[in-house]
Amino acid sequence: MNDATHARPTGTTGTEAGTGGQRPVGIDALLDRVRAGYQRVEAREAHEAARTGDALLVDIRYPALRDRDGLIPGALVVERNELEWRLDPQGSHRAPEATGHDLRVVVICNEGYASSLAVDSLRQLGLHRATDLVGGFQAWRSAGLPVEPASR
């Protein structure tokens, strides 16, 4: 039997179809790869950077989590699906806080996973100081840092 007549669908080359010739990577490996490209911050460091004006905290948690757990005072709330549009300093839909590519942004999700993927996207837009909070909002709250109720 000839290998060319079975085993692979037409048009594939032995790598996974539709992946640009690369095998798919699992989410844990992807997170490791993304996080290797920048230094993540701990809750107290993020709090101090925001307090001194050295960083913009950006909360990407969805509304139900904000309603349940509260908000970080002074953090910019941006839905994850709008993040790139709101923080791109060149974008037509940018937030007033998106002042330039040198802006230090600390992205905060609930536990520190989705924020890492968001940081990768922001860095691709040129926000080279973008980082995220290790442990997310839950780490912030566990550290006893300020939280205020979400307004309804």
Side-chain angles (χ1 to χ4, degrees), residues 57-141:
L57 304 182
V58 179
D59 186 343
I60 63 169
R61 293 174 301 141
Y62 55 89
L65 290 177
R66 296 191 310 263
D67 289 346
R68 182 188 76 190
D69 294 337
L71 301 169
I72 295 172
L76 176 64
V77 175
V78 179
E79 298 291 327
R80 173 61 191 99
N81 64 329
E82 297 178 1
L83 184 68
E84 292 81 0
W85 284 267
R86 304 291 289 150
L87 291 184
D88 179 1
Q90 300 174 347
S92 59
H93 299 292
R94 71 181 171 279
E97 294 87 349
T99 56
H101 289 98
D102 287 334
L103 179 66
R104 184 175 182 204
V105 175
V106 178
V107 181
I108 302 166
C109 66
N110 193 49
E111 294 182 344
Y113 297 100
S115 57
S116 295
L117 299 177
V119 165
D120 185 51
S121 182
L122 292 177
R123 286 177 161 260
Q124 290 180 49
L125 289 175
L127 292 159
H128 61 96
R129 297 181 69 206
T131 187
D132 72 321
L133 181 62
V134 176
F137 179 87
Q138 298 307 320
W140 179 278
R141 186 171 61 182

Side-chain angles (χ1 to χ4, degrees), residues 13-38:
T13 61
T15 57
E16 299 298 320
T19 62
Q22 299 177 8
R23 296 222 181 260
V25 62
I27 189 62
D28 293 328
L30 178 61
L31 280 171
D32 288 344
R33 182 187 311 160
V34 164
R35 289 172 175 168
Y38 67 94

